[in-house]
Amino acid sequence: MNRREALKNIGLSAGYIAATPAILSILQSCTSEIKLNWIPELLSEDEAKVQDQLVDLIIPETDIPGAKSLNIAMFTDKYMNQVAKKEEAAMFKKTAGILLNELGISEDKPVKKLKTEEYDALLSKYLKSSKEQQKAYQEEMRQMKSPEDFESMSKDAKIFLFLSAVRDLSIWGFRTSREIGENVLAYAPVPGQQIGCDSLEKLTGGKAWSL
């Protein structure tokens, strides 16, 4: 099964966030804007551009819309600014800056000069690291009892947590978007007959329900 097929069938194994009316309104507002023809609310323009490239690699465009078409980077920025706790938003913003440093962004190397291979290498380094290494990063997170403890975390742990948050929000935003919910996943806004003992393959073609 390829990455896109896995996303079509995914539940919310990457993390669960309640679909409140406020969050759904953010998702719908993101459908009218294209790519970076929008002003980031939390991130800087460079940070937003980097995140836009990252989510495009996480959910690329194929036979169905990808992260860029669905404006997932904009949704993530709005979610962190409007819905997340202030402390979480502040840490997200700070680690976005750390990520720019990790990518070597400077006056001599602006975002536009970054190659796809550099983004891919970054995602591979952290999100494809060994289970042991990821557990170590997560343990650093568990040791954090207050926002002040964030400063004592290693740079690698901060970047891992940032990329994990981007990945999880991207998958959730993708799956919850109207386009994917109505046209890609199994969609039945008015429930019909209850069939409790049949296979998902037979009932929906193997697709997860959007509702």
Side-chain angles (χ1 to χ4, degrees):
M1 179 182 290
N2 61 34
R3 175 166 51 179
R4 179 46 58 87
E5 286 300 315
L7 286 170
K8 286 168 67 175
N9 295 333
I10 198 168
L12 281 179
S13 58
Y16 177 78
I17 307 173
T20 65
I23 296 174
L24 291 175
S25 69
I26 291 175
L27 279 165
Q28 294 191 14
S29 72
C30 294
T31 62
S32 62
E33 299 177 75
I34 302 173
K35 297 183 180 179
L36 272 189
N37 294 330
W38 52 280
I39 300 175
E41 297 181 356
L42 177 66
L43 301 178
S44 70
E45 185 174 348
D46 279 351
E47 291 163 353
K49 288 179 178 178
V50 165
Q51 183 170 292
D52 191 56
Q53 295 302 310
L54 290 172
V55 299
D56 186 45
L57 286 171
I58 293 171
I59 308 177
E61 196 90 7
T62 59
D63 57 314
I64 58 176
K68 280 195 173 184
S69 296
L70 298 171
N71 300 301
I72 295 299
M74 180 170 64
F75 161 68
T76 301
D77 177 74
K78 286 178 176 286
Y79 173 85
M80 292 305 300
N81 188 60
Q82 298 180 18
V83 181
K85 295 179 180 178
K86 290 184 178 180
E87 296 84 357
E88 294 173 343
M91 288 187 286
F92 188 85
K93 168 68 175 173
K94 193 158 192 174
T95 48
I98 293 172
L99 193 67
L100 291 191
N101 292 332
E102 181 74 3
L103 288 167
I105 302 300
S106 65
E107 291 185 4
D108 295 328
K109 185 184 179 182
V111 171
K112 65 181 181 181
K113 289 189 176 181
L114 281 176
K115 298 179 179 179
T116 301
E117 291 79 2
E118 294 178 80
Y119 290 109
D120 201 29
L122 183 78
L123 290 171
S124 295
K125 177 181 178 180
Y126 292 97
L127 298 187
K128 292 184 179 180
S129 58
S130 67
K131 290 183 179 180
E132 292 73 19
Q133 183 60 73
Q134 293 191 33
K135 285 181 180 179
Y137 292 146
Q138 292 164 355
E139 182 58 32
E140 285 196 56
M141 180 183 69
R142 282 192 286 270
Q143 295 299 320
M144 188 175 63
K145 306 300 182 184
S146 67
E148 289 72 26
D149 295 333
F150 177 75
E151 300 300 329
S152 64
M153 291 177 60
S154 68
K155 178 195 70 174
D156 285 341
K158 292 174 182 176
I159 293 176
F160 170 77
L161 294 174
F162 176 82
L163 293 176
S164 296
V166 169
R167 175 193 60 196
D168 293 354
L169 281 170
S170 296
I171 292 173
W172 182 72
F174 168 84
R175 188 181 186 276
T176 315
S177 68
R178 175 177 293 176
E179 173 65 25
I180 301 304
E182 294 185 3
N183 300 318
V184 177
L185 297 175
Y187 179 65
V190 180
Q193 181 182 5
Q194 172 65 34
I195 304 174
C197 300
D198 214 333
S199 69
L200 190 66
E201 186 65 37
K202 182 177 179 180
L203 294 173
T204 69
K207 297 179 181 179
W209 288 103
S210 64
L211 299 175

